[in-house]
Amino acid sequence: MSIKAGRVIDICVLTGKIMLENGAENYRVEDTMKRIANACYDGAEVGNSFATPTGIFMTIEDEGIKLQEVTKRTLNLKKVTEANQISREIVNKEISLDEAYKKLVRLDTENNLYPVWIQFTAAFIVSGALMLLFGGVWSNFIVTAFIGGIGYLIFYYNDELLKIKFLAEVLASMAIAAMGIFAVKYSIVSTLNIVVTGAVMPLVPGVPIANAVRDLLAGHLISGMGRGVEAILSAASIAIGIAITYRFLLN
């Protein structure tokens, strides 16, 4: 493998890894990697890529191949946007390959998620607003918002500490259902189901479901079904947590 081919493959794989780990669709990841490779060879169709939810393959014809395992998946569309921007700069010949690689390494290692208090505030607002959308009343807004915000914090910290897939959703939804039941019991809110539904919405895997559908529509059946199953399991975990709490606390 030539030095140039090695650098191009490294850049393609790192770009794909960043995008795939942070919520990009598989077909978009593959397209971005191929565009970078072809642009580095003056538009020749030399790049071939294949992405799954757990791994990336990249090859340049007659040059070499590389496999990159993807072990984590989160939602950080800011990183996806920045990786896309770097890929456009490469395609437009605005930066060198070495500069692009350094920027990608820096992007991959930095933690640019919003602070926890901003995530809590977003969950707070979303919970109350969606409770109203589902037919709730304004008098339940603040309580629902607090329940949703606290439930999201429980999910966030359990996900960070336990590192067990889907368990954080179960624990958070159990806490939300329990808080909703006690709020109704002490006449703080009037409608249990609507309050709980609004409060769990920040936990619902909306982006993974949308990505699964988009991958399926793009013809990526394996990745689409894989993402879809993961999203369904996440939604099922939320439902299980609520059902368990209702079973033991709701008379």
Side-chain angles (χ1 to χ4, degrees), residues 8 10 20 23 32 46 51 59 71 83 88 92 95 104 106 111 118 157-158 166 187 190 197-198 206 218 225 231 250:
V8 172
D10 286 342
L20 197 59
T32 300
V46 297
T59 181
T71 58
R88 293 190 189 98
N92 295 330
I95 56 175
L104 288 166
R106 185 164 58 251
N111 180 13
I118 293 181
Y157 286 112
N158 275 294
F166 308 120
S187 301
S190 55
T197 301
M225 288 188 291
L250 193 60

Side-chain angles (χ1 to χ4, degrees), residues 24-44:
E25 308 92 323
N26 282 47
Y27 76 88
R28 191 183 302 276
V29 172
E30 293 182 1
D31 181 66
T32 300
M33 293 166 65
K34 285 190 287 188
R35 286 177 182 271
I36 293 173
N38 295 342
C40 292
Y41 284 82
D42 300 321

Side-chain angles (χ1 to χ4, degrees), residues 101-117:
Y101 187 72
K102 290 177 182 178
K103 292 177 72 172
L104 288 166
V105 170
R106 185 164 58 251
L107 177 62
D108 186 38
T109 55
E110 71 181 7
N111 180 13
N112 59 1
L113 286 172
Y114 288 108
V116 177
W117 71 268

Side-chain angles (χ1 to χ4, degrees), residues 39-59:
C40 292
Y41 284 82
D42 300 321
E45 297 289 334
V46 297
N48 293 285
S49 61
F50 180 71
T52 73
T54 56
I56 296 171
F57 296 85
M58 183 67 202
T59 181

Side-chain angles (χ1 to χ4, degrees), residues 147 150-179 200 203 234 236-242 244-245:
I147 292 174
I150 293 170
Y152 181 82
L153 289 180
I154 293 172
F155 163 77
Y156 178 87
Y157 286 112
N158 275 294
D159 192 47
E160 289 288 318
L161 295 174
L162 299 177
K163 304 293 184 183
I164 301 177
K165 196 70 174 172
F166 308 120
L167 181 58
E169 285 96 333
V170 173
L171 296 176
S173 58
M174 289 176 66
I176 288 171
M179 287 186 285
V200 299
L203 307 179
S234 182
S237 299
I238 297 171
I240 289 170
I242 294 173
I244 291 173
T245 306

Side-chain angles (χ1 to χ4, degrees), residues 3-250:
I3 296 176
K4 177 182 178 179
R7 177 60 80 190
V8 172
I9 290 177
D10 286 342
I11 288 173
C12 292
V13 168
L14 184 54
T15 303
K17 173 177 174 289
I18 293 171
M19 294 178 66
L20 197 59
E21 285 182 342
N22 291 281
E25 308 92 323
N26 282 47
Y27 76 88
R28 191 183 302 276
V29 172
E30 293 182 1
D31 181 66
T32 300
M33 293 166 65
K34 285 190 287 188
R35 286 177 182 271
I36 293 173
N38 295 342
C40 292
Y41 284 82
D42 300 321
E45 297 289 334
V46 297
N48 293 285
S49 61
F50 180 71
T52 73
T54 56
I56 296 171
F57 296 85
M58 183 67 202
T59 181
I60 294 178
E61 291 182 6
D62 303 323
E63 291 285 1
I65 185 171
K66 184 173 182 178
L67 165 65
Q68 174 66 55
E69 184 182 12
V70 177
T71 58
K72 65 176 182 178
R73 287 178 298 281
T74 184
L75 182 60
N76 188 344
L77 298 183
K78 183 179 179 182
K79 276 194 173 184
V80 174
T81 301
E82 292 182 8
N84 267 326
Q85 180 58 36
I86 295 172
S87 73
R88 293 190 189 98
E89 292 174 359
I90 296 172
V91 172
N92 295 330
K93 311 293 185 182
E94 296 174 4
I95 56 175
S96 67
L97 294 181
D98 289 336
E99 290 173 332
Y101 187 72
K102 290 177 182 178
K103 292 177 72 172
L104 288 166
V105 170
R106 185 164 58 251
L107 177 62
D108 186 38
T109 55
E110 71 181 7
N111 180 13
N112 59 1
L113 286 172
Y114 288 108
V116 177
W117 71 268
I118 293 181
Q119 297 184 51
F120 169 82
T121 303
F124 180 96
I125 296 171
V126 166
S127 299
L130 289 178
M131 180 273 300
L132 294 174
L133 184 64
F134 294 141
V137 294
W138 277 102
S139 60
N140 294 342
F141 181 90
I142 295 297
V143 176
T144 304
F146 268 112
I147 292 174
I150 293 170
Y152 181 82
L153 289 180
I154 293 172
F155 163 77
Y156 178 87
Y157 286 112
N158 275 294
D159 192 47
E160 289 288 318
L161 295 174
L162 299 177
K163 304 293 184 183
I164 301 177
K165 196 70 174 172
F166 308 120
L167 181 58
E169 285 96 333
V170 173
L171 296 176
S173 58
M174 289 176 66
I176 288 171
M179 287 186 285
I181 290 172
F182 285 117
V184 170
K185 181 178 179 181
Y186 292 103
S187 301
I188 302 174
V189 297
S190 55
T191 52
L192 173 62
N193 290 335
I194 294 177
V195 168
V196 171
T197 301
V200 299
M201 290 309 292
L203 307 179
V204 174
V207 173
I209 292 173
N211 284 350
V213 173
R214 294 172 75 173
D215 276 335
L216 288 171
L217 293 177
H220 291 246
L221 301 181
I222 295 176
S223 60
M225 288 188 291
R227 286 178 179 269
V229 169
E230 185 177 24
I232 290 171
L233 288 175
S234 182
S237 299
I238 297 171
I240 289 170
I242 294 173
I244 291 173
T245 306
Y246 275 22
R247 172 66 178 80
F248 290 102
L249 294 184
L250 193 60

